[in-house]
Amino acid sequence: MSRALTDVIDFEEFGRDPALADAIADAQARSALRATLVAQRKISGLTQKDISTAMETTQSAVSDFERGSTDPHLSTLQRYARAVGARVVVRAALPSSSTTEGAWLSSVQASGYRRRGMTVHRSAALDQSRAS
């Protein structure tokens, strides 16, 4: 006798798990980004082969990405975006605590950004969260 998935997994319990809810939200955001980039490729009239040439990869790797069968690195997302004439912008939403902000800034500075001549800018998301 086979059992239904709902007999094995308590989906209501999963819904109450904040870590799982966050993981699902992250997966949905990645999926939406991928769908947006693929739509841009199609609107632009570009083929997967065009994209693979621009990215210096294979058409099958582009196909895997578009199907969602891979979990690409950020650099891969950025290269795909550039190939379709888009740009991926990454932001971190940090807690609003000034203690957290100070720790974050100290951490970034300690990582050597200043030594490499880079400037550290606070995210607009941080400023918005402090205003709330």
Side-chain angles (χ1 to χ4, degrees):
M1 175 170 124
S2 67
R3 295 169 54 180
L5 191 56
T6 53
D7 293 336
V8 179
I9 298 174
D10 182 358
F11 288 102
E12 286 184 33
E13 182 179 332
F14 279 142
R16 292 186 298 268
D17 181 352
L20 182 60
D22 287 345
I24 290 170
D26 290 346
Q28 290 170 332
R30 287 189 304 271
S31 181
L33 173 60
R34 182 178 54 250
T36 299
L37 293 173
V38 172
Q40 178 62 30
R41 174 185 68 80
K42 291 177 180 179
I43 289 168
S44 299
L46 298 168
T47 66
Q48 289 182 347
K49 183 65 180 161
D50 295 331
I51 301 306
S52 69
T53 300
M55 292 179 64
E56 298 181 354
T57 190
T58 63
Q59 181 273 327
S60 63
V62 171
S63 176
D64 290 345
F65 164 77
E66 290 187 358
R67 280 195 325 273
S69 61
T70 63
D71 189 4
H73 291 107
L74 175 58
S75 60
T76 301
L77 290 168
Q78 291 169 319
R79 287 176 30 235
Y80 185 99
R82 281 193 307 272
V84 301
R87 183 172 170 235
V88 172
V89 177
V90 179
R91 294 201 174 140
L94 302 174
S96 62
S97 164
S98 61
T99 303
T100 302
E101 178 186 349
W104 170 79
L105 187 56
S106 295
S107 166
V108 170
Q109 290 169 341
S111 70
Y113 280 98
R114 289 200 188 278
R115 286 192 306 265
R116 291 185 220 124
M118 299 174 81
T119 304
V120 177
H121 297 280
R122 293 185 321 178
S123 166
L126 177 62
D127 292 333
Q128 288 174 350
S129 68
R130 293 181 80 201
S132 324

